[in-house]
Amino acid sequence: MTTLDNSTSSPDGLAALAEENSALIDNALDLMVVFDPDGRVLRVNAAARALLGYEPCELVGLHFNDLIHPEQHAQALHIEDGLRTRDPARPDIVVRLRRRDGREIQLSVAARWSEAHQRTFVIARDVTGQQEARAALERSEAALNSMLESIGDAFFAIDSDWRLTYANQKAGDFVGVDAAGAIGHPLLEIAPELLQSDSLSRYQLAMATRQPDTFETFWVPRQVWLEVRVYPHADGISVYFHEITARREAEHRLRKSEQRFRKLFNQAGDSIMIVDGALRIVAVNDQACARFGYRREEFQGMLATDINFGFTEGRALLAGLRAGQAQLLRTDKRCKDGSVFPAEVQISRFDDEGEEFFLAVIRDLSDRAEAERQLRESEQRFREVIEMTPAGYLLASRDGLLLDVNPALCALSGYPREMLLGLRLAELFVSFPLASLETGDERPATVQGVEAVLRHRHGVDIHVLFNGTIKRDANGRALSLTGLMTDITGRKAAESRLQELATHDTLTGLPNRALLGERVQQMLDACPYGSQVAVMFLDLDRFKEVNDSFGHEMGDVLLCEVAARLRRVIRPTDIIARLGGDEFVVAAHCASGQKAAASIADKLLDLLTAPVKIGGIDVIVGASIGISMYPQDAQTREILFQTADTAMYRAKNAGRNRYRFFEPEMTVATQARMALEVSLRPALARGEFELHYQPRYALCAASPGGIALYGMEALVRWNHPERGQVPPQQFIGIAEETGLIVGIGRWVLEEACLRTRELMKESGRKMVVSVNVSARQLAQAAFAAEVREILARTGLKPDCLELELTESALIEDIEHTAAVLRELKRLGVKLAVDDFGTGYSSLAYLRRFPIDVLKLDRSFLMQQDENVATVDFVKAFVDMAHALGMAVVAEGVETAEVLAFLRAAHCDQAQGYYLARPMPLARLRALVGGHAGAA
């Protein structure tokens, strides 16, 4: 036991000891503080000056929360309470303090509460540097882990005991384990399949020799080829691997290609020789041996000049070839037996690993005289064909005077041949695409499938489809015009009928939904201030009973009678339309508001409750009517239709055969729609959208089953966090109205391009992805530039992208739209019109735009007309589209019968549930892989 020094027992000694203790505290590098029971500073040592920038006297009286960072105030109070009530001592508390100069530091604090002294004693040390170093280390480890997770290869590392020390997620996914959970486990426990793989022996060799290794191996469990790189390190090995199945298959295809080339080389109909730079023959095909009479071994000891006969221009020929110019020669060739034959020789030069070679393709011209005779006969047959062809033919001079015509043109125009030969083009045609032959280079020299109007001798206009070519001399001056034309007057009538079908109901002849929207909008635009417009939705109450009792034919009779009655009672300024089924719409100006609308509704109910004779029996159907008033119920036609439809269902639920005006409490559906809009706004930022893809097939007889995968249409899907998957028809309209479609559309376009490029890279085949573009996107001034940037960013070639536009989007601003489409066309992308047949449907109208594809709507395919069969209309439509240089895609193909008649109508492509439903990317990738394998 240590005894107390007597020097400290005296008062002087105790004073000296106190002075030393005080000096020890004041000279300590750690901060020492004594707090009173209220948490205020009683004493603090001189270390406060260096650590906090305060003089010790400045801190006396301050509360500890005056110095601690505000975010730790609650924590500090909790620690103080714990010191007094639970554990009086707490070491290693890290707190953040503000120095006098405002800089924040971190201190490691040890605190003790003394109940006897009613004081808290605190010692603190600056650990700011340690904390920052620890944070930097953590960031470095996170960056390394992120890098290993983001590399393209799968990666794992094992120690000398063959235990896993690290693996990225790609490696874990490859063997089907959680990478993080596998750390520390033996490698063979994680991947026991290695026992049957030669990879294990390579790992063992690298571990033993400490030498890196690279090899390729076949991984049986997944049936894939891998490239593996092994790198030893201080305590084990690191392994990187990735799949190379596609590369191995490409190498196999290359070998097959070389074999096919050799086969084609030997089976070519012309003699082919390869000659080296010294003009020695190094290779010949079988045809050369057969034609010249030499065996292949004999050829290889000969010079190319040995088989020439009387040709002395070898030096000039070589100079031209070495200047990069292929040469075409007419010369004679000598055979082994001394015979000579005339030949046409195509010679080109190429390098192979720095060595010069020449390729000569020798065509025997012995039969040229016979060929010339056959050509004369062919020209005579051509003249006979021209005379017999049903297409009109003409030959005109440079000044437009007809020089030659055929009987078909005489029949088409009503003129005899003698009269036609005295006419000029301007006299024969009302409109003609090449009426003036004396044109500059800015006018086309050839036109294909251009419409023209021919004036019949009796004054009738005949519409024709004209194909023509202007022959010019070396100076570009027109010499003559040759043209063929076919009568399309019937097609023009069919197109007019198609327009009627697209805007009118085929059963009743009433306007359909598309025309209704257009006319109601005109009515709203023309509505005087203070006046009102009523939109009434009518739904027949007992139509289903008539259909079930009397059959659909009698149901159609009833619908036609209802349409006829409605026509008789509405005013000329009012609108009546059929939406489909048993739904009709009446829109009327109502100067006195609801009173006038109620009067019209009463009249309609009286009209529709009058008996209708069906199958010899009087039937009363009645109707339920929903009425929405503009402008009090809605400001737009879409909301008018929506509120009228809501009111109609209220009328039906109220007992039928009555009408109901729209009331604000009927807006539950509207509120639901607004809630959907609120959820839609952040959906893109939250990553709630995904793309599904519906495959599109080319209709080609040469492929198995008559179809071949052409590409796919990208379709957006919304995975709502609460509602699940929301159908596009519920949110696309909202996105259009709110402008959110611009951002969503941009995401869809970039995602579709990126995934398509990945699929093409994986499958090794070209595919075209079709992406819908809204009117709002098209109206953006920088839309074409945006498309260009996305193509560049994703690496997708422009001809693999097709942009789909609706007819309504095309006509919103025709001049702007035409300019944007021309700019997109210059990029090389394809342009398509979606849902053709549901809007304006004028082929002539669409000619104003550079359209490549028309997508024929399913409803158009299903329409029936008692005068013209659907297949005839579709055939006429396809023919006209082809004549205008457009391809046709049929949508909504659901049966083999529809597919068969589309093929018979020469439709180019098709998509629909019969062929394939929309699918997520994973299923599409499997489908494309299956097609690639079949190919």
Side-chain angles (χ1 to χ4, degrees), residues 119-355:
R119 298 286 187 270
T120 301
F121 299 92
V122 173
I123 300 176
R125 175 171 298 173
D126 186 357
V127 294
T128 304
Q130 298 174 17
Q131 293 295 324
E132 290 175 349
R134 182 179 295 120
L137 179 60
E138 291 174 352
R139 288 195 299 272
S140 175
E141 291 177 349
L144 177 61
N145 291 339
S146 176
M147 180 186 70
L148 291 174
E149 288 296 331
S150 63
I151 62 175
D153 285 3
F155 167 79
F156 68 89
I158 56 175
D159 59 19
S160 57
D161 294 327
W162 294 85
R163 291 184 175 274
L164 192 69
T165 58
Y166 184 79
N168 66 2
Q169 192 57 46
K170 291 185 180 68
D173 292 342
F174 187 79
V175 295
V177 301
D178 175 42
I183 303 300
H185 291 266
L187 179 64
L188 291 180
E189 177 184 310
I190 299 167
E193 298 88 352
L194 281 170
L195 290 171
Q196 283 75 44
S197 171
D198 59 357
S199 299
L200 182 60
S201 62
R202 304 295 286 261
Y203 297 162
Q204 292 169 336
L205 181 63
M207 185 78 82
T209 64
R210 317 308 297 166
Q211 294 296 317
D213 190 11
T214 299
F215 60 91
E216 295 179 3
T217 184
F218 187 73
W219 184 253
V220 175
R222 294 188 60 171
Q223 294 292 298
V224 295
W225 282 93
L226 302 176
E227 181 180 84
V228 184
R229 301 189 305 280
V230 186
Y231 300 100
H233 53 77
D235 187 35
I237 58 174
S238 298
V239 179
Y240 298 80
F241 65 91
H242 63 271
E243 184 181 344
I244 59 168
T245 306
R247 192 191 77 191
R248 297 274 299 204
E249 292 175 350
E251 292 171 350
H252 175 71
R253 289 195 296 270
L254 178 59
R255 289 192 295 272
K256 297 289 287 185
S257 175
E258 291 173 348
Q259 294 171 2
R260 286 195 296 270
F261 169 76
R262 176 60 60 183
K263 187 175 181 180
L264 290 172
F265 177 75
N266 281 319
Q267 292 180 350
D270 293 329
S271 300
I272 303 177
M273 296 183 181
I274 298 177
V275 180
D276 64 15
L279 301 185
R280 291 187 298 270
I281 298 173
V282 297
V284 295
N285 68 346
D286 293 343
Q287 179 63 24
C289 295
R291 185 65 187 87
F292 285 88
Y294 292 100
R295 290 179 289 108
R296 188 172 269 103
E297 295 78 8
E298 293 176 306
F299 263 127
Q300 291 178 352
M302 299 171 58
L303 293 173
T305 54
D306 293 340
I307 61 172
N308 289 341
F309 182 78
F311 183 75
T312 59
E313 301 178 8
R315 184 170 299 174
L317 173 65
L318 285 174
L321 289 169
R322 285 168 177 158
Q325 301 168 353
Q327 303 290 320
L328 180 65
L329 307 177
R330 296 285 182 90
T331 185
D332 292 334
K333 295 293 182 181
R334 180 189 290 113
C335 299
K336 183 177 181 179
D337 61 6
S339 62
V340 176
F341 66 90
E344 180 181 79
V345 186
Q346 175 78 37
I347 307 177
S348 57
R349 178 187 177 278
F350 66 92
D351 287 326
D352 185 9
E353 296 183 354
E355 188 174 355

Side-chain angles (χ1 to χ4, degrees), residues 21 36 203 208 210 228 261 491-492 704 783 789 830 853:
N21 288 340
D36 67 12
Y203 297 162
R210 317 308 297 166
V228 184
F261 169 76
R491 288 188 189 178
K492 296 295 289 184
F783 178 67
E789 291 171 5
K830 293 180 173 63
V853 179

Side-chain angles (χ1 to χ4, degrees), residues 38 60 127 132 168 251 281 416 614 618 670 705 751 799 848:
D38 294 329
V60 173
V127 294
E132 290 175 349
N168 66 2
E251 292 171 350
I281 298 173
I614 301 295
D618 286 340
T670 302
E751 179 73 4
D799 63 349
R848 301 186 63 179

Side-chain angles (χ1 to χ4, degrees), residues 617-631:
I617 300 175
D618 286 340
V619 175
I620 298 177
V621 289
S624 298
I625 303 176
I627 308 172
S628 179
M629 303 298 297
Y630 170 86

Side-chain angles (χ1 to χ4, degrees), residues 495-506:
E495 183 179 344
S496 177
R497 176 60 175 153
L498 290 174
Q499 175 70 15
E500 177 72 14
L501 289 174
T503 57
H504 288 76
D505 175 46
T506 55

